[in-house]
Amino acid sequence: MFIKQIPFLKAERLVSRSAFNVLLTLVISVTIASCGTNDDNNSSTNFDRSELLNNYADNIAIPAYEEYVSSTNNLLTAVHEFALSPEDNNKLLTCIEHLKIVSLKWQLASLFDFGPASDYALLEFTNSYPTSTDDIESSIGDESWIAGQASNIDNVGLPALDYLLNEEGAMDKLNANPERVEHLVKQVEFLNEQGELVLETWKSSYHANFVSMTGTEMGSSIGAMLNAFNRVFEANIRKQKLGLPSGVSTFSGNPLPSHVEAKYANYWSIDLLYEALLSIEKIYMGNSSSSNFIDMEGVGFDDYLISLGDEAFGQGLNNDIVAQIQSSKEAVLSLNDPLSEFVLTNQETCIYVYTELQALVVLFKVDMMSSLGVLITYQDNDGD
Amino acid sequence: MIDSAPLITLRRLFGALVVFSTLRFISYDWIDCQILDPLVTFPFEGFEWLPRPNRGGAYTLFAGMLIGGVSIMTGKMYKAGCLVFFLCFTYVELLDKSNYLNHYYFVSLLSFLLCFMPANKPGFKIHSYLLLTCKLLIVMVYFFAGLAKLNGDWLLHAQPLTLWLPQHSDFPLLGQLFQYRETAYAFSWFGALFDLMTPFALFSNRARKYFYPLLVGFHIVTWMLFPIGIFPWIMIACTTVFFSATSHRIFWNYFKKFNLDLPEAIINPADLKSYKKVLVVVFLAIQFIFPLRHLMYSGNYLWHEAGYRFGWRVMLIEKSGWANFFVVHSKGNKQEVDLSAWLTKNQEKMVSTQPDMIVQFAHHLSDYWRDSLDQDIEVHAEVWVSLNGRRSQLFVDPNIDLSSINNTWAQREYVVPMDSVILPSQFYSLDND
């Protein structure tokens, strides 16, 4: 019965002939199209995404984590030394200085909240505030307390350290209670260990993974990066650092001074906000810090947009983003520490700066995302 | 009177695909993500009364789809199975607009139609109008998809393909060409032409056999480029219905177990009742008119999306948006709403670009504040949307209480007309003066 296959052969011939037609049509239409307007140089969007990813991995992400981890190492050393002589006020001050450096270094690292960072919930464990002082107090002296549990999120990380080191009477309390110092050390050890874990994972396995996923779909490196970048900027920078303290999300519209970042130190909240904006700029531009503190130009999202040509959604968008980053930075400089007092006395200024940041969120989250064609899909999508 | 063989192929393939699609849906854990997890849903207007299923209910619905799908595929208890599938599937689709897909709508329509088709047993003769109804439903998808592409964005700016294609530079063979603007133009024009041509080519006895491989190629390319689920496979399967009964018999002869050669069993159907003819005409007329309802509205319907759904607009727009909702209290205080606390990521994405969902969400917010907190509030939103490569623009009027609007067939006056407002930085500085 297998001999009787004439219709099949015929069908096969038909299929191959028609398949040839398909190919011919495609080749012809593409040839016509690409021969059409050779003089138009802007129409080519030849952009090497793997160069972009390599730049982000080698020159920004990994160095950002390295600097962050080296700052947590230094903090750990300082805390260990303080633990040996808790009566020494200078040693406490050294700890506080190092905490500020860690907090500043954290700003750039926090923007890479995907891959290893999200696996270790680095952002949540490092900088969730306001911190729960009750939980911190009750865990002091508790032998069974282990950092890194989900329930610890609001009593570990930088805000907890800010409390332990900077609260009123911190020196006396630490001096009087060895268990408090012990807890401080545990906290810094945890902070340091988390950073080290993420850095190690980036270096050992994630780096190769990251630079190889050159697509732009959900789950690709560019998709993951932009997603984290937008989310951290919108929620953790715009809203948390400034919006919530300014009262934009409160029922009454009243400011919430207790929601400022680093509220116990109370004199570097604006520095952290400004540093976060510099970090946003750095990532957008693909710039990296060199050893002599001058930013080095690298392939970043700005170049990606420029590669789209002299269009509103290409070069034009880049110009607007650059200008908006600039005016956001200038706006932030109009704020003064302590932010917790400034939101009470100058709420309108705060809300003005907030809208500057908001304008930047729109440019990043709406314009840039659609220009780069990053299809954010959570399920099937046929166009609506 | 014609042989029912094409209808049987349609039933078998369609059944197999819906079973596959249902299993795929389940295996991706979408029952939880799309049906059970959301805090609030966005039912289609007129179907708000449908109760939201709990876990048991959802599993029952999907079991119904599976059993119904298997029954469609095998032809056992076919009509009852088809009805069960149609009801369960459509129920789930009606629960939440954010999951709307053109091809889900197509699956609903076709399974509804199949309930009335004598497609269970081979060897029957059927009235040719029945097959014609299926064919017309299928070509309408292409026809309207093609018609929708005849707009400035698609033809003159090659959007959204200009934004999408360059991202596929690693595509086999064609990848390098995707970086050229000309390729997007070629694809756009070819796509429009293809869609418009398909109905005629499929009905033409001469062109069909040459055209079908092109159609298969076209759908496979779209499947490789875009996350459109099983849509290409459904269309590849359904368009086989245009081939002659003889071709279908030859095809199934390769699979001995499924062959359709039962010439002795040919039975002529009873005469056609005239009310059935009327019903068919009414069904087709609705299918033809409904997708055209966007003509009732002024402005760019790609922007305001009035009359956009249920119109076979496939891969037509790249729209991204960002919505900032405010609850405005009687004292005039504005409180920003944290969308991620209310919506799933997918819902958040949909709410940010679709006006009727913005209104629905405003109602969710005002209901919550009124019922749970005993507060009368207004809901305002500042929404920025970018469409097909345009820069972001203000989408809905930020001064309107959105919870006072109801979704109707009327023009969406609360949507800011496209190209009238400007960059965010300008908007904010105006706001501050």
Side-chain angles (χ1 to χ4, degrees):
Chain A
M1 58 169 297
F2 287 104
I3 309 299
K4 204 184 153 196
Q5 281 193 342
I6 294 150
F8 174 69
L9 287 176
K10 200 175 155 192
E12 198 181 38
R13 215 171 54 225
L14 272 181
V15 168
S16 58
R17 213 162 82 192
S18 310
F20 175 74
N21 286 345
V22 178
L23 223 84
L24 195 70
T25 318
L26 275 175
V27 168
I28 289 175
S29 53
V30 164
T31 318
I32 293 172
S34 42
C35 294
T37 46
N38 275 339
D39 50 335
D40 187 2
N41 289 326
N42 286 328
S43 61
S44 160
T45 52
N46 193 357
F47 184 79
D48 186 356
R49 286 196 299 270
S50 76
E51 202 185 333
L52 173 106
L53 293 177
N54 277 302
N55 182 43
Y56 279 122
D58 298 335
N59 301 329
I60 309 180
I62 290 179
Y65 282 127
E66 278 171 341
E67 289 193 22
Y68 171 69
V69 168
S70 118
S71 73
T72 59
N73 286 169
N74 291 341
L75 176 62
L76 187 59
T77 312
V79 166
H80 277 145
E81 279 179 18
F82 172 66
L84 293 175
S85 44
E87 72 291 340
D88 188 342
N89 194 34
N90 284 332
K91 291 201 165 147
L92 181 68
L93 291 177
T94 312
C95 291
I96 293 172
E97 269 166 40
H98 281 292
L99 178 64
K100 184 178 179 187
I101 297 169
V102 172
S103 304
L104 286 167
K105 295 293 178 196
W106 165 247
Q107 302 306 322
L108 181 58
S110 73
L111 287 161
F112 296 93
D113 188 36
F114 55 88
S118 93
D119 292 345
Y120 290 106
L122 184 67
L123 189 141
E124 290 80 357
F125 279 121
T126 305
N127 201 20
S128 297
Y129 56 90
T131 193
S132 165
T133 53
D134 287 350
D135 286 353
I136 294 173
E137 291 298 344
S138 67
S139 45
I140 290 171
D142 180 353
E143 287 299 322
S144 64
W145 186 85
I146 306 164
Q149 318 264 2
S151 58
N152 290 152
I153 279 178
D154 67 349
N155 58 58
V156 294
L158 303 170
L161 295 175
D162 176 40
Y163 170 69
L164 289 170
L165 294 172
N166 289 319
E167 64 170 322
E168 217 174 317
M171 182 68 207
D172 294 341
K173 284 192 190 172
L174 287 163
N175 204 0
N177 185 358
E179 284 179 335
R180 200 174 186 84
V181 179
E182 204 176 298
H183 188 70
L184 172 70
V185 174
K186 268 195 200 173
Q187 287 265 13
V188 178
E189 279 169 350
F190 172 68
L191 184 85
N192 182 54
E193 184 190 328
Q194 280 250 318
E196 282 179 344
L197 277 171
V198 171
L199 175 61
E200 276 319 303
T201 315
W202 258 93
K203 281 178 157 174
S204 62
S205 57
Y206 188 71
H207 178 275
N209 210 342
F210 179 80
V211 296
S212 70
M213 295 184 293
T214 55
T216 56
E217 68 285 354
M218 268 309 261
S220 66
S221 297
I222 289 180
M225 228 189 113
L226 286 172
N227 205 20
F229 177 83
N230 284 329
R231 177 168 42 77
V232 174
F233 182 49
E234 180 188 348
N236 301 76
I237 298 176
R238 172 197 72 117
K239 186 163 180 179
Q240 248 199 324
K241 289 189 201 302
L242 190 62
L244 284 177
S246 307
V248 297
S249 305
T250 55
F251 201 68
S252 58
N254 293 334
L256 290 176
S258 66
H259 278 62
V260 300
E261 189 174 19
K263 71 169 163 184
Y264 296 98
N266 213 17
Y267 55 88
W268 68 53
S269 311
I270 305 298
D271 293 347
L272 297 180
L273 174 59
Y274 193 72
E275 183 68 22
L277 269 183
L278 292 179
S279 305
I280 286 287
E281 182 178 35
K282 213 173 238 184
I283 291 193
Y284 173 70
M285 305 280 206
N287 291 353
S288 47
S289 311
S290 63
S291 48
N292 53 6
F293 298 103
I294 297 166
D295 277 1
M296 308 243 292
E297 173 66 31
V299 179
F301 293 119
D302 61 337
D303 303 281
Y304 201 168
L305 285 180
I306 291 166
S307 81
L308 300 178
D310 190 19
E311 305 257 8
F313 60 82
Q315 175 80 58
L317 174 57
N318 175 59
N319 294 343
D320 286 341
I321 291 179
V322 170
Q324 189 56 41
I325 291 178
Q326 201 48 42
S327 65
S328 300
K329 276 162 46 182
E330 281 161 20
V332 168
L333 291 177
S334 69
L335 304 171
N336 290 315
D337 263 323
L339 183 60
S340 58
E341 284 164 31
F342 198 78
V343 291
L344 294 172
T345 51
N346 294 281
Q347 191 186 13
E348 275 193 13
T349 313
C350 293
I351 288 176
Y352 158 72
V353 178
Y354 178 77
T355 56
E356 284 285 345
L357 300 184
Q358 186 128 314
L360 195 50
V361 172
V362 176
L363 291 172
F364 283 140
K365 210 176 173 182
V366 183
D367 297 71
M368 183 170 78
M369 291 305 266
S370 64
S371 292
L372 297 185
V374 179
L375 278 181
I376 301 291
T377 47
Y378 303 99
Q379 53 201 53
D380 291 343
N381 179 350
D382 65 8
D384 192 56
Chain B
M1 296 299 140
I2 52 162
D3 188 68
S4 68
L7 206 51
I8 289 166
T9 309
L10 178 67
R11 169 181 66 67
R12 285 175 176 171
L13 296 182
F14 179 72
L17 277 169
V18 297
V19 169
F20 173 76
S21 167
T22 310
L23 290 173
R24 177 172 173 269
F25 194 98
I26 296 168
S27 73
Y28 285 3
D29 217 17
W30 285 346
I31 295 185
D32 280 279
C33 307
Q34 298 186 20
I35 298 165
L36 299 172
D37 289 348
L39 201 64
V40 292
T41 56
F42 299 83
F44 285 97
E45 281 70 28
F47 294 94
E48 294 90 344
W49 53 271
L50 280 179
R52 263 190 83 181
N54 56 15
R55 188 165 291 274
Y59 289 167
T60 311
L61 286 168
F62 278 82
M65 280 184 224
L66 277 180
I67 294 165
V70 169
S71 138
I72 295 172
M73 182 170 68
T74 58
K76 302 260 174 356
M77 308 263 294
Y78 158 69
K79 287 203 171 176
C82 199
L83 185 67
V84 167
F85 176 83
F86 164 72
L87 290 175
C88 293
F89 186 87
T90 308
Y91 191 109
V92 169
E93 293 324 307
L94 289 172
L95 289 172
D96 200 331
K97 279 176 193 172
S98 33
N99 303 324
Y100 169 81
L101 293 178
N102 286 293
H103 73 265
Y104 285 165
Y105 176 47
F106 181 73
V107 167
S108 275
L109 287 178
L110 190 61
S111 60
F112 173 75
L113 209 52
L114 282 177
C115 292
F116 305 98
M117 297 282 164
N120 50 334
K121 285 201 188 74
F124 272 81
K125 291 248 169 196
I126 57 165
H127 291 287
S128 53
Y129 87 96
L130 288 175
L131 202 58
L132 184 64
T133 312
C134 290
K135 287 179 178 174
L136 286 173
L137 181 67
I138 292 163
V139 295
M140 267 183 212
V141 174
Y142 291 98
F143 178 72
F144 283 115
L147 210 58
K149 291 186 171 78
L150 303 183
N151 68 64
D153 283 8
W154 186 271
L155 296 175
L156 303 180
H157 302 285
Q159 289 288 19
L161 289 179
T162 296
L163 295 174
W164 287 343
L165 287 183
Q167 316 313 328
H168 293 276
S169 54
D170 42 5
F171 194 80
L173 295 171
L174 297 172
Q176 279 305 305
L177 295 171
F178 287 168
Q179 57 186 283
Y180 297 102
R181 183 68 50 79
E182 290 82 359
T183 313
Y185 276 96
F187 270 57
S188 295
W189 283 73
F190 174 77
L193 198 68
F194 173 85
D195 279 343
L196 289 170
M197 204 165 61
T198 300
F200 305 100
L202 286 177
F203 271 112
S204 150
N205 286 328
R206 282 187 56 201
R208 185 184 308 122
K209 57 180 179 281
Y210 302 107
F211 188 77
Y212 187 70
L214 181 69
L215 180 142
V216 173
F218 175 84
H219 281 305
I220 289 179
V221 169
T222 60
W223 172 71
M224 294 170 78
L225 285 175
F226 308 116
I228 48 182
I230 60 154
F231 178 65
W233 306 107
I234 291 208
M235 296 321 286
I236 288 170
C238 289
T239 41
T240 58
V241 85
F242 285 86
F243 286 98
S244 71
T246 325
S247 327
H248 283 271
R249 283 168 184 270
I250 292 171
F251 173 77
W252 289 111
N253 275 347
Y254 293 119
F255 311 94
K256 203 168 172 222
K257 216 180 146 197
F258 300 113
N259 81 60
L260 303 176
D261 271 334
L262 301 162
E264 69 279 8
I266 285 180
I267 299 161
N268 281 324
D271 278 347
L272 194 61
K273 293 197 175 65
S274 56
Y275 81 89
K276 283 193 176 172
K277 281 185 183 163
V278 174
L279 285 181
V280 167
V281 172
V282 170
F283 176 80
L284 288 174
I286 292 173
Q287 293 316 312
F288 191 79
I289 293 166
F290 203 52
L292 294 172
R293 68 194 190 286
H294 68 284
L295 298 173
M296 301 193 298
Y297 307 104
S298 63
N300 187 333
Y301 81 110
L302 301 181
W303 177 251
H304 59 60
E305 293 197 41
Y308 188 87
R309 290 192 201 91
F310 308 112
W312 315 119
R313 276 117 200 168
V314 187
M315 302 314 277
L316 199 59
I317 52 177
E318 159 67 40
K319 210 174 192 185
S320 56
W322 183 55
N324 219 0
F325 282 84
F326 299 95
V327 167
V328 182
H329 299 274
S330 45
K331 284 182 291 179
N333 292 330
K334 267 168 108 183
Q335 182 181 3
E336 207 177 284
V337 176
D338 180 8
L339 288 198
S340 63
W342 283 84
L343 304 172
T344 66
K345 283 180 176 173
N346 189 56
Q347 287 178 324
E348 200 176 327
K349 179 186 166 204
M350 297 299 169
V351 165
S352 306
T353 55
Q354 293 172 38
D356 56 337
M357 294 180 70
I358 290 175
V359 166
Q360 272 176 306
F361 185 56
H363 282 276
H364 283 310
L365 291 174
S366 79
D367 289 350
Y368 172 77
W369 255 265
R370 192 186 50 239
D371 299 343
S372 307
L373 306 177
D374 203 23
Q375 282 242 339
D376 268 330
I377 53 145
E378 290 190 1
V379 178
H380 295 223
E382 181 195 317
V383 186
W384 294 92
V385 168
S386 151
L387 173 68
N388 285 348
R390 286 178 188 78
R391 295 296 304 281
S392 58
Q393 304 179 15
L394 202 61
F395 193 49
V396 298
D397 185 342
N399 301 315
I400 282 185
D401 175 14
L402 293 162
S403 66
S404 69
I405 294 171
N406 287 308
N407 282 328
T408 63
W409 294 87
Q411 180 82 32
R412 295 172 171 173
E413 305 288 355
Y414 58 96
V415 177
V416 178
M418 195 167 74
D419 296 330
S420 54
V421 185
I422 50 166
L423 288 170
S425 51
Q426 292 163 310
F427 169 76
Y428 291 123
S429 53
L430 285 177
D431 205 28
N432 282 312
D433 285 343

